[in-house]
Amino acid sequence: MEAEAGDGPVRFRAPPAGVLRIVPLDELTAIYHRASGQTHLVAPPVPEILAALAQAPASLEELLARLGACYDLADPDAEALGARVAELVGLGLVQRG
């Protein structure tokens, strides 16, 4: 279930261009967050989530639809996606609002 924020569902967005340096490394991806100076090693679907949010801000439902349009999701799970996006918000890799 998606939280509501005033006028509708909470929306998420990727940081502005240039804030993240994303480098694929075989099966993992290194993400350098310039604002914090931290480097994160992540696995799918994190790079895919960031790419989908770079298109435009999205609610969890919109994000799930974008991912489903680009990838064959065996079991689309909005709750699992919400948990992953919350982790990315906590790391500063995704912004709320």
Side-chain angles (χ1 to χ4, degrees):
M1 190 79 173
E2 190 162 351
E4 298 284 324
D7 298 358
V10 174
R11 297 180 69 73
F12 299 93
R13 58 188 161 90
V19 172
L20 302 179
R21 171 85 167 112
I22 300 173
V23 180
L25 305 169
D26 294 323
E27 294 181 20
L28 297 178
T29 300
I31 301 175
Y32 175 66
H33 186 242
R34 287 184 169 98
S36 69
Q38 293 183 330
T39 300
H40 306 274
L41 285 178
V42 300
V46 172
E48 293 80 2
I49 290 170
L50 293 174
L53 289 175
Q55 298 172 17
S59 67
L60 287 177
E61 285 183 11
E62 293 167 333
L63 179 57
L64 190 58
R66 281 185 202 165
L67 292 169
C70 295
Y71 306 99
D72 183 21
L73 303 179
D75 185 22
D77 184 346
E79 189 172 320
L81 178 61
R84 183 59 55 97
V85 169
E87 292 171 359
L88 297 175
V89 168
L91 293 172
L93 301 178
V94 168
Q95 299 171 343
R96 248 180 109 101

